[in-house]
Amino acid sequence: MPTHDDLERLRHRIAPLEMSPEEFRAAGHELVDLIASFLGSLRERPVTPGETPEQVRSVLGTSALPEQATPARTLLNETAGLLFDHSLHIGHPRFFGYITSSAAPIGALADLLAAAVNPNVGAWNLSPAASEIEALAVRWMAEMIGYAPDCGGLFVSGGNTANSVGFLAARRSRLGAGVRAQGVGVTAGRPRVYCSAETHTWVEKAADHYGIGTDGIRWIPTDEQMRMDVAALRAQIRSDEAAGDRPFLVIGTAGSTGVGAVDALPELAQICREHDLWFHVDAAYGGLAAGQPDAPPDLAGLALADSVAIDPHKWLYSPLEAGCALVRNPRDLVDTFSYHPSYYKFDEATRENGINYYAYGPQNSRGFRALKVWLMLRQVGRQGFARMIADDIRLTAHLFRLVQAHPEFQAFTCNLSIATFRYVPVGVEPGSTAAEAYLNRLNEALLGRLQQGGEAFLSNALVGGRYLLRTCIVNFRTSLEDVEALPGIIARQGRAIDAGMRPADLGSEQKAG
Ligand SMILES: *Cc1c(COP(=O)(O)O)cnc(C)c1O
């Protein structure tokens, strides 16, 4: 039983977590000031401090769960400094690593606003304005990639989840309603998924988790440009059909993670029509380049897909996390995810009552990821994005020309905003087994040094057994100066590593003069 004192205290309850408006204002202003200075100082900072887990743990200090309170303002100031000094900065102009973008500053403010209002965008009546904003932002995302704006769709955590939504919609639509209750074992014939050997690992997770099994994936080989071999796809589907298997899904990739290759989407769509298969496109990376003058025309085939995954936290420069799943027919999403029979009265549900997003995707309670995307699209408009994406592509093309012209580099691929090349020191002639093995080891060691060094951050790709350096620019802060500095930085580190690592029988720099 609560005592009289308990009740008196609760009459004007002041909870430990509550902050008065004055306290919030003071702490918030200070934090925003710190963030503004941090963003202004990015270029002067190392891309990464290159610390070990041990070092980072020692900075964090005590790991004991606190018993007592600490003022919010103290914590926020302290933690801002900690994060600024001990993070890898994806927003740094010389971050050329994975396909993960500089984050738009307005996105950070939008996330703050979303968290402050904290609508639950699982149900319309818990998030009236937020649900409507999400519906609008989904529609705009579709327009950005040339997809039908009346499609269904929702924001999810990223590309993996967005692709999984398409996968599940395909499974329900093509394997039938029975799979929801009885599992995929109910289908006659083994379910088969087709995708290129370059497809991102999400497809293995999806095949595994959703009952198809990774052995159900048909990995179609790629041509010399790393695009799915369309003739091989046709042949595989025919032979599987003849064997009594159950093909149901073809996955095209619009911008492969490795080298940015875009599959022949219109042809894949045609094959899907002929065989009544679901056509999903993983456009997590390349989707937003659709319509760019320098982008592959095959991106126009996005419009033909039954479902598409795009990733605003890649080429829309949104802060993590924001993925977006689009499905041509909104009913397919409801059929896949809804367990509430009333939502089968679909048109009524969307038009009159608003969308309940829990019936559209895997989540129940949902955050307001759409806000940052909606605000970013309004802040710079379609034209602003077109310019930033085109500039990323231009800078990549320029970097590729620089490494082609440089005597110590061998250039390989340049697609969208990904370039691949390797460091080849003077005196080493590529081609022989020994030289290739050495170049692989050398470039791997070089990448390790670059990733720790903080001058510039790159990643790698494997093309035809060769270990390559890989740059990806989805970074509105990268300028010509950064691109022009890069070959010199890599060559300097490359020479230093080569000097200590080259086997005697591969010749020497001196001999090569
Ligand atoms: C990045 C990427 C993914 C995964 O997206 P996440 O946002 O990291 O989950 C899937 N497919 C492709 C082609 C990608 O580039």
Side-chain angles (χ1 to χ4, degrees), residues 99 158-161 163 200 202 253 255-257 282 284-285 311 313-314:
I99 313 174
N160 262 36
T161 310
N163 279 305
H200 189 278
W202 73 265
T253 296
S256 66
T257 311
D282 176 2
Y285 165 42
D311 229 356
H313 66 210
K314 289 182 171 171

